[in-house]
Amino acid sequence: MAAFLDRRDPENIEDSAERFGDRAGGWLDVMAAAGDLHPITRACMGFHLWGLAGLGGHDDLMEAAVTASRIAASDGSGAIFAPLAMGGAGGLRVSGLPPERLAHWLDGMNSAILTATRTLDDIEAWTARAETIMAQLSGRTPVALRNTFSQWPLVSAPMAESMTGASRAAVQRNLAWMEAKGLTREVTGQGRYRMWRIDTEGMRTGRNA
């Protein structure tokens, strides 16, 4: 677990690793004892026991949430993570009695799953639309760039270069073309370090070039 979380203490790495290993071992023992619970319920349990076991800093819920999202997806479906916060942070509340926390957890996960499903539907519809609009373009860069946008929520020009293997000029030219056609939009509003994402709003409103 220490390796998975990349836990390192530059001041005293050996002592820190030993203390973390002891605390993690206790947490793992409790989680193993709850093996008959559904993975989503176990994930909630593990999330709320994380801080009590001394595994996270004060108000630091990131490691607990990441670990819980792995547990929730451990039902053999092939998923790596279960969405937790896509529908808001309601499922990550740390106050209330255990039944209330579980109810918030289930409601939050349900909301996150619905949001994730809508996002996947939007990406599928965008991909079909992009294939039609970009059919007039030749070469491998447009196809590779379209695939990149379908797999990542935000894309920068350097990232696009790395993902597609295309030159900077080719990437910049295709990014500008896709933005002009309403397929993507720049989200930073800056002249440097810009990021693009697929334009699902334009797709819903029927905006097209």
Side-chain angles (χ1 to χ4, degrees), residues 10-160:
E11 295 180 357
N12 193 340
I13 191 167
E14 292 184 2
D15 182 56
S16 175
E18 182 177 352
R19 293 199 312 271
F20 178 78
D22 291 341
R23 294 193 295 268
W27 181 86
L28 287 169
D29 289 341
V30 175
M31 294 301 295
D36 291 336
L37 297 177
H38 190 279
I40 293 178
T41 303
R42 289 182 66 242
C44 178
M45 175 181 169
F47 173 77
H48 288 289
L49 289 178
W50 191 264
L52 295 177
L55 294 174
H58 181 64
D59 292 333
D60 182 8
L61 303 179
M62 181 62 70
E63 289 180 349
V66 169
T67 303
S69 70
R70 291 289 299 271
I71 295 172
S74 62
D75 60 352
S77 64
I80 298 175
F81 281 87
L84 288 178
M86 289 188 71
L92 302 179
R93 295 182 184 180
V94 294
S95 60
L97 297 174
E100 296 173 333
R101 296 188 185 191
L102 179 58
H104 289 314
W105 180 266
L106 295 175
D107 288 343
M109 182 163 288
N110 183 63
S111 178
I113 289 173
L114 291 175
T115 300
T117 301
R118 287 194 296 267
T119 299
L120 292 174
D121 289 342
D122 285 345
I123 293 173
E124 184 177 359
W126 178 89
T127 301
R129 175 172 173 260
E131 287 178 353
T132 299
I133 295 176
M134 300 177 74
Q136 59 185 286
L137 302 179
S138 60
R140 64 178 183 84
T141 300
V143 175
L145 199 55
R146 184 177 67 237
N147 291 337
T148 299
F149 273 104
S150 69
Q151 296 169 9
W152 295 87
L154 292 173
V155 178
S156 66
M159 177 182 173

